[in-house]
Amino acid sequence: MEEKKIDIKTIVGFGLIMLLLLWMMYNSTANKEEAAIKAEKEQVEKSKENFVPEDKTAVAEKDFTVTDSASIAKMKGALGAFAYSISLPSAKDTVTEIKNELLTLRIANKGGYISEANLNNFERIAKGSGERVQLINNNNADFNIQFKTADNRILNTRDMYFEPSLTKEGQNQVLSMRLKAGENQFLEYRYVMKPDNYMLDFSIRTQGLSKVVDGTAPAELDWDLKAYRNEKSASYENRYTDIVYEYEDGKDDNVGLGKSEAETADDVTYVAYRQHFFTSILLTDTAFKKADFSIENLMEDEEKDTVFTKQFSTKIPLEYKGGELSYNMNWYYGPADFKILNSYDKNLDEVIPLGWGIFGWINKYLFINLFTLLSKVLPYGVCIIVFTMLVRLAMSPITYKSYLSQAKMKVIRPEIQEINEKYKSDPMKKQQETMKLYRTAGVNPMAGCLPALMQIPVFYALFQFFPSFFDLRQKSFLWADDLSSYDSIAELPFTIPFYGNHISLFPILASVAIFFYMRMTSGDQSMSAPQQEGMPDMGKLMKVMIYISPLMMLIFFNMYASGLSLYYFISNLITIGIMYVIKNHIVNQDKIHAIVQANKQKEPKKQGRFQRKMQEMMEQAQQTQEQQKRLKK
């Protein structure tokens, strides 16, 4: 058989065919990949074009970076010069974290503002969540500057991407967030976090934007926040959640606690969104010429509306200088603690609702210092008891004078009744003779009222002190697991109007103490003051109040801080003890009677200005009455 010869041309041809097949397979795969890439680019471009609103307000697309000049040109239709910011690697939804021992903040590239603010050392109490207190968490806050560009566009910083740069200056962390219109043209937010501090330095400035923005129209800063519920009782927390602001060189005010409130103020130097025990504050070195505040109550039903308490909103126009913005400010995210806020020496202690005028002074300069001193050596529950004892002992001389006046009035009561009967038909003469008896017996009818009035500032100051004193938060005593909230001993399967769905024990104890105290003193008070013609019978009124006052205490304080109810319980127990000692061991009725009788033998004391004026008015009234009688005749 003849052996076939292998033709070299056949081998070469076969090889070329194989190479051709391989090339076609590779080319097919490459075309598919190229087609996929092209389709993806077309989809991105299409989404960009569809995402631009009609009014040319800039809205940055999520997680993309534009690098080619054609795409940048398209984005300029929406962003103008700020399309440059979309071309940077930072144009994506990421955050930069800065933290110290007290505070953890996350700042978002998109918008450049704080998207999370966590307090490292405090827990939410709401429904036993055990989570860290979060003042900001993505969905509840917004910080935006809206400005007009030179080419007549309205842009919002919340919609554009900032470029972050984190550095250190000594121990301070410095985060620069820049919204760029060019390499050296930008709007910057600068955050400076210091160690072990709730206060941040914060500044807003622009560079090289005088020809990019319209400097004739102020930029508008919008700061919105929905306040998270953090405490056990939402309604109680909501009662102390408000906007507080400082204006006109140190004046302070609050917006209010209605369902929807709004106010405007000039020369504002700080705005505080107070959430009972925590607060977010924006401060400025250069006063804002004007600020508009609004607040809306988000909690109508405590059983249903359990996440947020109120919606805060502030609008502030920012003035350009030379076509640029420059504002040095501060952020505070932390506890609404008087001692911490007061340490900054920026009048921030006014954020705490300690009362106005003398009530606030008593709390600031006396009660806070005294309680802080006691709390250094005593547990907080015991501290409240000792604090109450000191306050009641300090007020005991006033209690003594009040009871002494009641005892004197009780001694001359029979004589006053005689005068009432004798001059029954002549009210003016009856009043004159009664005043004369008071003067000759050395009895001042106002002496019993003045001590009671002197106790009102202390009473009201303490009513403001306990709900606002941060140190009581999450401090337990006996069955109360939190002295800043109610001390529930039983949960009810239903809700009683004005009372709630639980039973607090300290208000019950305080109500019982008030009942026995009023029973102990009501007899003396009704006996000391004789009934005046045309006036209600004080004896009957006091008998009714014996039952009404404890009932009001029981209902009203069921939702209040257990520390406040503990104070009233101990205070009334101590007052009962003081009154018992005064009545049985200090004030002697026989001695009082002897003193009154001795005063009658003496020359009457010279009338004071007030008594003299009252005497003249009664004499004039009597003369007028007599003239009217003569005219009738």
Side-chain angles (χ1 to χ4, degrees):
M1 178 179 242
E2 185 178 357
E3 186 175 342
K4 290 184 179 180
K5 292 183 180 180
I6 299 176
D7 189 353
I8 187 68
K9 292 182 178 179
T10 302
I11 296 174
V12 172
F14 183 79
L16 289 173
I17 292 171
M18 290 295 295
L19 289 172
L20 181 61
L21 290 171
L22 289 171
W23 179 82
M24 290 175 66
M25 291 173 62
Y26 171 79
N27 191 50
S28 177
T29 304
N31 286 339
K32 288 180 180 178
E33 292 178 354
E34 185 177 353
I37 292 171
K38 186 178 180 180
E40 184 178 357
K41 283 187 176 180
E42 288 176 353
Q43 186 177 1
V44 170
E45 292 297 328
K46 187 177 180 181
S47 66
K48 289 183 214 169
E49 292 174 358
N50 293 337
F51 203 68
V52 177
E54 290 297 323
D55 64 354
K56 296 184 179 181
T57 300
V59 181
E61 181 61 34
K62 196 171 183 179
D63 289 332
F64 72 87
T65 304
V66 180
T67 57
D68 60 284
S69 58
S71 297
I72 292 176
K74 287 185 178 181
M75 291 305 296
K76 282 186 177 180
L79 302 178
F82 286 95
Y84 179 85
S85 63
I86 302 298
S87 68
L88 302 174
S90 56
K92 52 188 176 182
D93 287 341
T94 57
V95 297
T96 303
E97 182 178 281
I98 55 177
K99 65 185 297 185
N100 60 19
E101 299 84 353
L102 307 174
L103 195 60
T104 299
L105 301 178
R106 293 183 177 88
I107 294 87
N109 283 16
K110 190 173 184 180
Y113 59 87
I114 298 171
S115 60
E116 287 189 36
N118 304 312
L119 302 184
N120 299 335
N121 301 323
F122 300 103
E123 290 185 359
R124 294 179 67 223
I125 309 173
K127 293 195 173 181
S129 64
E131 302 168 352
R132 294 297 173 192
V133 169
Q134 285 189 318
L135 299 182
I136 299 176
N137 183 11
N138 291 320
N139 300 321
N140 74 315
D142 182 34
F143 186 83
N144 176 62
I145 295 179
Q146 185 180 88
F147 57 93
K148 187 178 180 181
T149 64
D151 56 356
N152 207 33
R153 304 172 193 278
I154 304 298
L155 302 182
N156 292 282
T157 58
R158 69 160 71 90
D159 301 324
M160 295 185 284
Y161 289 96
F162 287 64
E163 184 180 58
S165 174
L166 182 60
T167 58
K168 294 201 74 173
E169 292 180 359
Q171 292 184 316
N172 298 340
Q173 301 172 66
V174 180
L175 177 60
S176 171
M177 303 293 293
R178 291 183 176 180
L179 172 61
K180 290 190 170 183
E183 183 61 32
N184 295 308
Q185 296 173 297
F186 52 81
L187 165 68
E188 181 186 45
Y189 296 163
R190 189 172 188 269
Y191 302 87
V192 180
M193 175 176 276
K194 303 170 185 177
D196 199 29
N197 205 318
Y198 292 106
M199 185 80 75
L200 287 84
D201 293 340
F202 175 65
S203 62
I204 298 175
R205 74 180 186 97
T206 61
Q207 178 178 300
L209 297 184
S210 58
K211 295 182 180 180
V212 177
V213 301
D214 181 0
T216 62
E220 184 175 271
L221 185 154
D222 294 331
W223 178 31
D224 300 328
L225 178 71
K226 284 199 291 188
Y228 274 117
R229 173 188 172 185
N230 288 307
E231 310 306 322
K232 183 164 64 174
S233 172
S235 59
Y236 187 57
E237 179 180 5
N238 209 20
R239 190 178 295 128
Y240 293 93
T241 300
D242 198 359
I243 297 178
V244 182
Y245 58 92
E246 183 187 64
Y247 68 106
E248 294 179 3
D249 296 326
K251 298 178 183 177
D252 58 88
D253 203 350
N254 65 299
V255 175
L257 300 177
K259 180 174 176 57
S260 180
E261 300 284 349
E263 281 189 15
T264 299
D266 298 326
D267 298 325
V268 174
T269 44
Y270 74 68
V271 184
Y273 293 168
R274 186 186 70 216
Q275 300 173 229
H276 194 183
F277 283 123
F278 300 96
T279 186
S280 308
I281 309 175
L282 176 63
L283 306 95
T284 178
D285 293 342
T286 305
F288 302 128
K289 288 187 177 180
K290 181 183 176 183
D292 296 317
F293 314 105
S294 64
I295 186 170
E296 181 182 356
N297 185 18
L298 303 178
M299 185 167 290
E300 296 181 359
D301 187 344
E302 186 173 351
E303 297 300 317
K304 297 178 181 178
D305 306 325
T306 59
V307 180
F308 301 107
T309 55
K310 284 189 171 72
Q311 168 74 59
F312 300 125
S313 181
T314 299
K315 296 183 180 298
I316 302 169
L318 301 179
E319 303 287 338
Y320 290 97
K321 293 182 179 179
E324 305 285 355
L325 292 176
S326 181
Y327 282 85
N328 292 322
M329 295 183 277
N330 297 93
W331 281 115
Y332 176 90
Y333 292 102
D337 185 334
F338 175 84
K339 298 185 292 297
I340 295 174
L341 293 175
N342 193 48
S343 68
Y344 290 110
D345 196 26
K346 292 179 179 287
N347 203 32
L348 296 181
D349 56 280
E350 297 297 338
V351 172
I352 314 299
L354 294 173
W356 53 271
I358 188 173
F359 312 115
W361 299 340
I362 292 171
N363 280 324
K364 291 178 183 178
Y365 303 115
L366 179 60
F367 289 159
I368 288 178
N369 292 327
L370 175 59
F371 200 96
T372 301
L373 180 64
L374 292 173
S375 64
K376 290 179 179 179
V377 294
L378 297 171
Y380 280 92
V382 178
C383 189
I384 291 176
I385 295 174
V386 174
F387 175 84
T388 308
M389 292 172 64
L390 293 175
V391 171
R392 292 314 306 168
L393 288 173
M395 300 295 291
S396 58
I398 296 176
T399 304
Y400 169 74
K401 287 186 177 181
S402 178
Y403 183 77
L404 185 62
S405 175
Q406 292 176 18
K408 289 182 177 179
M409 292 288 291
K410 187 176 178 180
V411 168
I412 63 172
R413 180 181 171 86
E415 297 178 58
I416 292 177
Q417 289 177 333
E418 290 180 9
I419 293 173
N420 289 341
E421 288 295 324
K422 185 176 181 181
Y423 301 101
K424 196 173 188 178
S425 59
D426 192 348
M428 191 62 63
K429 184 67 174 177
K430 179 175 65 176
Q431 190 69 23
Q432 287 178 336
E433 291 298 318
T434 302
M435 294 296 292
K436 182 179 179 182
L437 174 63
Y438 287 154
R439 191 168 64 254
T440 55
V443 174
N444 183 359
M446 298 296 294
C449 301
L450 291 176
L453 292 175
M454 290 174 65
Q455 295 184 64
I456 290 177
V458 175
F459 176 86
Y460 183 77
L462 288 165
F463 184 78
Q464 294 291 107
F465 171 77
F466 282 102
S468 304
F469 193 57
F470 184 84
D471 290 10
L472 295 178
R473 187 178 187 270
Q474 289 188 300
K475 301 300 189 300
S476 60
F477 180 65
L478 299 177
W479 57 85
D481 56 2
D482 184 358
L483 288 168
S484 72
S485 188
Y486 58 82
D487 56 311
S488 176
I489 58 169
E491 297 293 328
L492 300 175
F494 49 85
T495 300
I496 300 175
F498 306 106
Y499 184 75
N501 61 355
H502 66 273
I503 298 174
S504 299
L505 183 54
F506 277 131
I508 295 175
L509 297 176
S511 300
V512 172
I514 287 177
F515 174 77
F516 283 105
Y517 167 70
M518 294 193 72
R519 282 200 62 180
M520 183 179 187
T521 58
S522 60
D524 295 325
Q525 291 173 355
S526 61
M527 288 291 290
S528 62
Q531 183 180 0
Q532 300 294 323
E533 187 175 346
M535 298 296 290
D537 189 337
M538 292 303 296
K540 292 181 179 179
L541 184 62
M542 289 304 300
K543 288 179 180 179
V544 174
M545 290 302 296
I546 288 176
Y547 300 98
I548 292 179
S549 295
L551 183 62
M552 290 177 63
M553 165 66 77
L554 184 65
I555 295 173
F556 187 69
F557 283 87
N558 191 60
M559 297 293 291
Y560 260 67
S562 54
L564 182 63
S565 299
L566 173 60
Y567 166 79
Y568 284 125
F569 170 55
I570 300 299
S571 177
N572 282 294
L573 284 183
I574 294 172
T575 305
I576 289 172
I578 291 173
M579 290 298 296
Y580 177 82
V581 172
I582 290 174
K583 288 180 69 173
N584 294 279
H585 301 285
I586 296 178
V587 175
N588 186 292
Q589 291 290 337
D590 294 336
K591 288 184 178 180
I592 294 282
H593 189 271
I595 291 171
V596 169
Q597 296 304 320
N599 287 335
K600 289 182 180 180
Q601 305 302 320
K602 298 178 182 177
E603 185 178 345
K605 290 183 179 180
K606 186 179 180 181
Q607 286 182 320
R609 183 181 298 177
F610 176 76
Q611 290 176 317
R612 193 164 56 248
K613 191 69 177 176
M614 287 292 294
Q615 182 75 19
E616 291 173 357
M617 289 172 63
M618 283 189 290
E619 289 175 353
Q620 290 175 3
Q622 186 174 14
Q623 291 174 4
T624 303
Q625 191 178 32
E626 290 175 354
Q627 288 175 0
Q628 290 175 347
K629 287 180 179 179
R630 286 196 297 269
L631 288 171
K632 286 181 180 180
K633 291 180 180 180

